[in-house]
Amino acid sequence: MKTISVHTQNPYDVLVERGILKRCGEYIRPLTKAGKCAVITDDNVDALYADSVTASLTENGFSVVKFVFPHGESSKNAQTLLDIYQFLCENEITRSDCLIALGGGVVGDITGFAAATFLRGMQYVQIPTTLLAQVDSSVGGKTAIDLPQGKNLVGAFKQPIVVLCDPDALSTLPELFLADGMGEVIKYGMIRDAQLFELLCGLDLTTVQAHFDEIIPTCIAIKRDVVENDPFDHGERMILNFGHTLGHAIEAYFHYETYTHGSAVAAGMCMMTKYNGTPEQYEKLCDCVKAYKLPASVDVPMEALVPLCSGDKKRAGGTLRYVVCEPTGNAQINSVTLQQFYDLFVK
Ligand code: MG
């Protein structure tokens, strides 16, 4: 088992091991006085893993209730949150009980936010079942729901008591979701770990899976290091946004329908490197993302994308900050005026 300890205000461990999902109760039991666990999940994950999670929790002395909502980003809203609160009230969940987020990023985000707010805050556990959630959204303590006006507009920083990552759970992931997570995995190599990037360059979407036991903890440790230095996202944490300035613009341009987050980030990383890196670095990165069935570019003129970047969260005052990796493994934050940013990409 690999253990990554996260030393935030409320420290916790991320445990990575094949089969840990079926034994989750053993690892949760010593961490809580809860009598009851409320498992929050979506209909896809429910069918695959809820029974084994429930069995392990029951074996370890918890009584278990379960709330299931329809899968997909469109469920990450205030109505689902109210439904969760209502379910917790009906089942007499107290502040000393524990929520279990079983699923991908949507489940983790909304369950984490419910845990941050219900009864002014209670314990929760993350059991991420997608690659993206394991390497990205389960570490860092960011929880949120979407509003009609935009994504992640209401949220809180709330750390789980433990994160249990089971690489075996990824074997049931459709290829599209695996590729989605690989966009973020490649990002970790680019920003902090040239060796990881080299490893990824020699693999593809099929062969990489045998290396998940190494790759997933490596990515989590990189995110941990960055988040520990900047828990409230004021500075260094921004390097995790490599590829995201253009990536978010791509997602928004296509109304979040055409590109998954990871594929938009992949294209964003390549486009950023095209304008800021060496030709060799650009070519290598493009080959790498294509090996994971991710796009190296999108068919949108930069004139249309660049204005969408300036509406992004990463804008501070009249300037825009974006991340470049020069050389590979060494991310840096560039701060430019909106005009300079425009000049860089649209000449
Ligand atoms: Mg991301």
Side-chain angles (χ1 to χ4, degrees):
M1 182 162 65
K2 291 266 167 64
T3 303
I4 302 104
S5 298
V6 185
H7 306 102
T8 51
Q9 205 171 11
N10 297 298
Y12 64 96
D13 287 338
V14 182
L15 310 179
V16 184
E17 189 176 47
R18 292 188 186 267
I20 201 170
L21 194 143
K22 291 193 198 88
R23 298 192 307 279
C24 62
E26 291 168 37
Y27 297 96
I28 297 168
R29 186 70 273 178
L31 301 174
T32 176
K33 294 187 171 70
K36 219 183 267 183
C37 287
V39 176
I40 315 289
T41 191
D42 69 30
D43 53 347
N44 279 345
V45 179
D46 179 38
L48 292 166
Y49 301 119
D51 284 351
S52 43
V53 165
T54 300
S56 177
L57 291 169
T58 308
E59 272 166 34
N60 285 278
F62 294 105
S63 69
V64 182
V65 293
K66 182 179 76 177
F67 180 83
V68 183
F69 62 83
H71 66 274
E73 183 77 25
S74 59
S75 284
K76 205 174 108 176
N77 57 37
Q79 186 55 56
T80 308
L81 182 68
L82 290 176
D83 293 344
I84 292 171
Y85 291 150
Q86 187 184 345
F87 171 84
L88 298 176
C89 290
E90 283 167 3
N91 286 282
E92 296 172 344
I93 297 294
T94 69
R95 202 190 298 175
S96 59
D97 291 327
C98 186
L99 303 188
I100 312 285
L102 173 65
V106 169
V107 169
D109 277 5
I110 198 166
T111 306
F113 188 61
T117 48
F118 188 69
L119 305 176
R120 299 196 182 88
M122 57 186 297
Q123 291 183 317
Y124 83 113
V125 171
Q126 293 265 24
I127 307 182
T129 57
T130 64
L131 180 57
L132 184 65
Q134 291 191 359
V135 299
D136 185 30
S137 46
S138 67
V139 183
K142 282 185 177 179
T143 72
I145 58 167
D146 301 335
L147 294 182
Q149 290 80 5
K151 290 178 74 167
N152 297 324
L153 289 184
V154 177
F157 287 95
K158 171 77 178 173
Q159 312 297 342
I161 58 170
V162 69
V163 180
L164 306 176
C165 290
D166 188 343
D168 278 347
L170 308 181
S171 63
T172 55
L173 271 189
E175 199 174 65
L176 187 72
F177 284 83
L178 208 54
D180 185 26
M182 285 309 300
E184 297 282 358
V185 171
I186 295 167
K187 178 199 76 180
Y188 286 115
M190 285 295 292
I191 63 171
R192 269 292 173 87
D193 192 336
Q195 216 181 326
L196 170 63
F197 182 72
E198 284 301 321
L199 172 69
L200 296 173
C201 287
L203 300 169
D204 62 28
L205 203 46
T206 307
T207 54
V208 73
Q209 299 185 44
H211 297 263
F212 276 162
D213 305 64
E214 295 297 323
I215 289 173
I216 291 169
T218 299
C219 294
I220 294 169
I222 293 171
K223 179 151 188 187
R224 183 269 317 268
D225 292 345
V226 174
V227 168
E228 272 182 9
N229 286 334
D230 183 18
F232 295 107
D233 199 4
H234 295 312
E236 183 192 340
R237 190 157 169 165
M238 194 185 156
I239 70 167
L240 296 169
N241 275 326
F242 177 55
H244 285 60
T245 301
L246 286 168
H248 285 147
I250 293 165
E251 286 182 281
Y253 183 86
F254 291 100
H255 306 286
Y256 298 92
E257 280 162 5
T258 309
Y259 290 95
T260 62
H261 178 68
S263 57
V265 167
M269 290 191 293
C270 292
M271 291 153 79
M272 197 51 90
T273 304
K274 182 179 180 181
Y275 290 90
N276 290 284
T278 64
E280 298 75 35
Q281 190 190 26
Y282 170 62
E283 205 172 308
K284 197 165 182 179
L285 177 59
C286 290
D287 288 344
C288 185
V289 305
K290 286 176 195 163
Y292 296 94
K293 303 194 176 176
L294 292 163
S297 63
V298 292
D299 196 13
V300 184
M302 291 305 282
E303 289 89 333
L305 281 184
V306 166
L308 294 171
C309 295
S310 59
D312 197 271
K313 282 184 290 203
K314 283 162 284 298
R315 186 180 167 188
T319 63
L320 194 141
R321 297 186 306 152
Y322 64 97
V323 184
V324 294
C325 298
E326 182 52 43
T328 298
N330 182 26
Q332 292 164 47
I333 299 167
N334 278 4
S335 192
V336 292
T337 64
L338 291 176
Q339 184 60 47
Q340 286 169 326
F341 189 77
Y342 189 86
D343 290 345
L344 181 65
F345 291 98
V346 188
K347 279 171 198 150

